[in-house]
Amino acid sequence: MTLSTTDRSQSTTARSEHSTSAEFALGRTTVLVFAVTAGSSAAGNYYLQPLLHEVAGDLRISTATAALLVSAAQIGYLSGLAFLVPLGDFLRRHRMVPALLVASVVALVVSAFAPNFPVLFAGVIATGVTASAAQVVVPWASALAHPERRGQVVGTVMSGLLLGILLSRVLAGAVAQLGGWRSVLLVAAGLQVVMAISVYLLAPATPRAASGESYRQVLTSILTLIRRHSVLRQRMALGFLVMASFSLVWTAIAFLLAGAHGSSYHYSEFAIGLFGLAGVLGALGAPVVGRMADRGHLRRVTTLTWLVLLASWALVAWGGHNVVALIAALLVFDFGIQGSHLSNQSAIYALDPAARSRLTTAYMVTYFLGGVAGSVTAGVAYQTGGWTLVCGIGVAAALLGLLLWAVFALRRK
């Protein structure tokens, strides 16, 4: 029996999730645990990014070879999104998430003690796969939250995820300065141990959804969902542009602040990492966006966040020569990024309560592919035309996003 002919099963699962949500009203502690878990898991992909030069020196490899670790994390994460996250609709999440966190601990420890590059490369891929726990937690929180608080809860968990990404660079720079790059991975492993125990003890037990699908049918059903829901396809396109813009800025800014290609900035790696704190403040605005979505203003929220993104590029361009403007730009820019991402998730989670993990996979794979495209474009653009070209591409992406959203909104009317 395929997903397209299991309406009765989906209805039963949806009622089960609704009753679960009613039975386990999410308290602040549980939401906090989910947010920190999402952040600590996603951070595993980013700890080594500001430390590639130190890794290269320690393992006696070239800088170009060390840079392959970024690709390794991306490969692992995409694999987890495609092949593990969909299982969240069918497995008991209160067991699945701690298992992924324990696997993350093993991968981080192996990476920390890697004697050579091949072992480290494999460890980073495994860490990327287990980092997909972040995308199991988000739909889990959405399923448990009451409908009137769903946007706020998802916004809080997504803020934790983005904070994990942004703060990972700061933490890595501070810890590496004291104990080297290997100590960063050991500290990260210790954090994942704490989170595995916290989720196991504090998260509500959820029943396994009744389903007769095989694993292959589960994966195939993702394509069915994409064909069935035009809103999902639309939000996938918008998500691609959002993450491409985010990756464009945060990849190119490392070159800008390091003084590459005539930049007026000449900061250390640790100082560059501290700029992530500006993005933290922007990310904290996500729950506000979530509350607006809960009140039925999802379309307005989407329009507003894309307008914020477009306007923020003026500050981003000015920040190429003014550090105060750059800090303000990162704050506004990350608010727009997080707000747009949250509006996309609020829209897709409302499509099918029984398939939130698979909807997450469809959306997040495209979203993360946008991140890969943005990082590759950033390197080429900065080397070719500097910060000016990077900002020009960003403005074009924001205008394209607004145009697509206008078309999508007209079609729905």
Side-chain angles (χ1 to χ4, degrees):
M1 181 178 295
T2 62
L3 182 70
S4 59
T5 60
T6 56
D7 294 337
R8 181 178 300 177
S9 174
Q10 287 184 350
S11 177
T12 301
T13 304
R15 289 194 301 269
S16 174
E17 289 213 23
H18 179 75
S19 64
T20 300
S21 176
E23 183 179 355
F24 299 108
L26 286 180
R28 292 182 179 179
T29 301
T30 306
V31 174
L32 178 61
V33 168
F34 282 166
V36 177
T37 299
S40 65
S41 298
N45 287 328
Y46 298 91
Y47 287 122
L48 290 182
Q49 283 194 7
L51 309 175
L52 293 178
H53 181 71
E54 185 178 346
V55 173
D58 185 31
L59 298 180
R60 298 181 181 180
I61 57 177
S62 67
T63 301
T65 301
L68 292 176
L69 294 173
V70 177
S71 299
Q74 294 170 343
I75 291 170
Y77 195 57
L78 280 171
S79 299
L81 287 174
F83 301 112
L84 291 181
V85 172
L87 295 177
D89 287 333
F90 301 96
L91 300 180
R92 293 180 174 90
R93 289 168 175 148
H94 67 280
R95 295 181 181 176
M96 179 181 177
V97 172
L100 285 174
L101 295 177
V102 171
S104 175
V105 172
V106 175
L108 287 165
V109 171
V110 168
S111 299
F113 290 100
N116 50 49
F117 179 76
V119 174
L120 178 60
F121 188 84
V124 170
I125 289 179
T127 301
V129 172
T130 60
S132 63
Q135 298 304 331
V136 178
V137 168
V138 176
W140 186 14
S142 175
L144 291 174
H146 287 298
E148 64 271 15
R149 292 187 61 237
R150 183 164 292 137
Q152 181 182 355
V153 169
V154 172
T156 301
V157 176
M158 284 305 304
S159 290
L161 192 154
L162 186 58
L163 287 173
I165 294 174
L166 296 172
L167 291 176
S168 64
R169 297 178 174 92
V170 181
L171 177 64
V175 175
Q177 190 169 355
L178 298 174
W181 68 270
R182 297 178 187 272
S183 65
V184 174
L185 300 180
L186 291 176
V187 170
L191 176 59
Q192 291 298 76
V193 169
V194 173
M195 297 319 302
I197 296 173
S198 299
V199 172
Y200 184 78
L201 294 179
L202 299 177
T206 51
R208 179 178 178 176
S211 172
E213 285 86 4
S214 66
Y215 180 62
R216 180 179 179 180
Q217 289 174 318
V218 169
L219 297 181
T220 303
S221 69
I222 297 172
L223 300 178
T224 303
L225 289 168
I226 295 173
R227 288 195 301 267
R228 179 185 300 168
H229 299 294
S230 60
V231 170
L232 175 59
R233 297 193 298 272
Q234 294 166 5
R235 295 292 177 162
M236 287 167 65
L238 294 175
F240 180 93
L241 291 172
V242 166
M243 187 56 180
S245 300
F246 178 83
S247 190
L248 181 71
V249 167
W250 284 101
T251 300
I253 200 173
F255 301 122
L256 174 73
L257 296 177
H261 297 284
S263 168
S264 58
Y265 300 109
H266 296 279
Y267 293 138
S268 66
E269 291 181 351
F270 177 67
I272 293 172
L274 290 177
F275 275 79
L277 295 175
V280 168
L281 295 177
L284 294 177
V288 177
V289 175
R291 284 193 291 271
M292 291 178 64
D294 288 338
R295 294 168 183 168
H297 304 304
L298 185 57
R299 289 191 179 186
R300 294 180 182 178
V301 166
T302 303
T303 302
L304 173 63
T305 52
W306 275 101
L307 288 173
V308 169
L309 272 178
L310 180 61
S312 70
W313 279 106
L315 277 173
V316 172
W318 185 18
H321 305 283
N322 186 302
V323 68
V324 176
L326 183 60
I327 293 172
L330 294 177
L331 191 156
V332 177
F333 176 79
D334 276 4
F335 173 79
I337 290 290
Q338 183 70 349
S340 181
H341 180 43
L342 178 58
S343 72
N344 291 337
Q345 289 184 305
S346 296
I348 66 171
Y349 286 158
L351 296 176
D352 190 343
R356 287 195 177 104
S357 287
R358 284 166 289 164
L359 291 168
T360 297
T361 290
Y363 173 74
M364 288 303 302
V365 167
T366 309
Y367 184 80
F368 200 71
L369 286 174
V372 175
S375 62
V376 172
T377 301
V380 176
Y382 193 88
Q383 185 173 358
T384 304
W387 192 246
T388 301
L389 181 57
V390 170
C391 293
I393 295 172
V395 170
L399 287 173
L400 178 58
L402 272 173
L403 176 62
L404 288 176
W405 171 239
V407 172
F408 297 154
L410 286 174
R411 284 182 178 179
R412 291 189 63 79
K413 285 185 179 180

